[in-house]
Amino acid sequence: MPLDSPTIAKDLAARGLRLTRQRLAVIEAVTEARGSVSPIQVFDSARRRCPDLGLTTVYRTLEVLGEIGAVRRVHGPDHCEAFAAAGARHGHCVICSCCGRVSEFTECDLATVVAAAARQTGYRITEHVLQLSGICAECQAEAAQARRGTT
Amino acid sequence: MPLDSPTIAKDLAARGLRLTRQRLAVIEAVTEARGSVSPIQVFDSARRRCPDLGLTTVYRTLEVLGEIGAVRRVHGPDHCEAFAAAGARHGHCVICSCCGRVSEFTECDLATVVAAAARQTGYRITEHVLQLSGICAECQAEAAQARRGTT
DNA sequence: GAGCCAGTTGAAAACAGTTCCCGTTTTCAG
DNA sequence: CTGAAAACGGGAACTGTTTTCAACTGGCTC
């Protein structure tokens, strides 16, 4: 997990950027959310830690963090501009459509799929967005419990 | 390709909806674009055919068409709200980052990937968004030609 | 054909999220 | 300490989207 301050500070410094109080607050807000969050949610959460934080800064910071790979953009069928803490460098993630939690998985065997697509379409494929959504283990358990309760 | 009027008219009728002049204009605009288009682009294009078309209607129509599967939402790393004509019922598509063209591919062997993700994360995966982007054959050819020209 | 009704429409207003602008503040190297 | 670069916050501006509403279809029955 590259979401520890020293690593990020280093990544920022490599671009001549700084790890400020505000940026730290944004990072922590995204990290402890352990789910995907919108810029506004980040704003609200980070503000508890850093009350004079501006929304503009949140946007700027999320962009910067996205560039250095500390934070990842999360897509979904409907919502599109959410962020989550990034773990492995090139992993994908599953988002729980019930509680919003985000989990990563690394076994990215997309190579086969990508190759097949390339063969079929003639494209040279350079990027892919794979976003899975479903129900996380806990929400499944809760749902099961609820069912038992009502039955 | 379900983008012929009779099929769509039928799909609409099944929901008690009509295939109006405006909706037809939107459908044609999306179809002949042969690439992904934003609501505004659809608006501009469809308006040539139906000058009194309103932007509101474009949004409404794109949504309806999306629901009946005649049109597909196209995602990308940055742009998120684009539409393209849908071919196969559950196919995926590749979008050319150069010219915007969209091609479909059907060999969707994601099952393996999805299963692996489910195993690794414990989620019950219900949906997936897979969006590839790259350079289409023609743009590759053009690029190659341009390179030859300048060398 | 008249009348009805659900579906459809466009314009304008409202809205939400995002970006821009600008003067101020902070940080850091020298 | 000083100057330059980076970063900041607030508010205005902007963009894309949705809502609202009154008017308008087109098919239907009578």
Side-chain angles (χ1 to χ4, degrees):
Chain A
M1 315 182 181
L3 273 205
D4 54 319
S5 316
T7 313
I8 292 186
K10 204 187 59 196
D11 286 348
L12 286 171
R15 299 175 162 233
L17 306 176
R18 300 165 193 157
L19 180 54
T20 62
R21 197 166 45 88
Q22 290 90 341
R23 284 181 181 162
L24 201 53
V26 168
I27 291 166
E28 287 175 355
V30 174
T31 311
E32 49 171 56
R34 57 183 304 200
S36 58
V37 281
S38 66
I40 288 285
Q41 289 174 311
V42 172
F43 177 65
D44 287 339
S45 163
R47 222 152 204 271
R48 281 201 286 277
R49 214 179 296 278
C50 181
D52 57 336
L53 178 68
L55 182 53
T56 313
T57 302
V58 172
Y59 277 99
R60 281 190 289 230
T61 303
L62 285 174
E63 181 162 344
V64 169
L65 293 178
E67 280 171 18
I68 67 172
V71 141
R72 143 183 315 165
R73 281 194 141 80
V74 178
H75 294 252
D78 20 315
H79 62 291
C80 265
E81 284 293 306
F83 295 82
R89 274 311 173 184
H90 180 88
H92 287 291
C93 57
V94 202
I95 177 170
C96 177
S97 51
C98 180
C99 67
R101 181 189 315 248
V102 170
S103 303
E104 303 199 333
F105 64 95
T106 46
E107 279 184 37
C108 172
D109 195 18
L110 269 184
T112 327
V113 178
V114 168
R119 196 173 53 241
Q120 218 180 71
T121 61
Y123 279 51
R124 185 157 57 77
I125 293 171
T126 53
E127 278 183 292
H128 61 265
V129 176
L130 172 64
Q131 179 74 63
L132 305 182
S133 46
I135 319 281
C136 74
E138 269 125 80
C139 285
Q140 283 180 54
E142 262 175 42
Q145 202 150 26
R147 254 197 312 282
R148 267 198 303 279
T150 54
T151 321
Chain B
M1 317 183 182
L3 275 206
D4 53 318
S5 316
T7 313
I8 292 186
K10 205 186 59 196
D11 287 347
L12 286 171
R15 302 176 160 231
L17 305 176
R18 301 169 193 151
L19 179 54
T20 62
R21 197 164 44 88
Q22 290 90 339
R23 284 179 181 163
L24 201 53
V26 168
I27 290 166
E28 288 175 353
V30 175
T31 312
E32 48 170 59
R34 57 180 306 191
S36 59
V37 280
S38 66
I40 289 285
Q41 290 175 310
V42 172
F43 177 65
D44 286 338
S45 163
R47 222 153 203 271
R48 281 200 285 278
R49 217 180 293 278
C50 183
D52 57 336
L53 177 69
L55 183 53
T56 313
T57 303
V58 171
Y59 277 99
R60 282 192 287 233
T61 303
L62 285 175
E63 181 162 345
V64 169
L65 293 178
E67 278 171 19
I68 67 173
V71 141
R72 140 182 318 163
R73 280 194 142 81
V74 178
H75 293 252
D78 20 312
H79 62 292
C80 265
E81 283 293 306
F83 295 83
R89 273 311 171 182
H90 180 88
H92 287 291
C93 56
V94 202
I95 177 170
C96 176
S97 51
C98 178
C99 67
R101 182 189 313 249
V102 170
S103 303
E104 303 197 332
F105 65 95
T106 47
E107 279 183 36
C108 172
D109 194 18
L110 270 184
T112 327
V113 178
V114 168
R119 197 174 51 240
Q120 218 179 72
T121 62
Y123 279 50
R124 186 157 55 78
I125 293 172
T126 53
E127 278 184 291
H128 61 263
V129 176
L130 172 64
Q131 179 72 65
L132 305 182
S133 46
I135 320 280
C136 73
E138 270 126 78
C139 285
Q140 284 179 52
E142 263 175 41
Q145 203 150 26
R147 254 199 311 282
R148 268 199 301 280
T150 53
T151 320

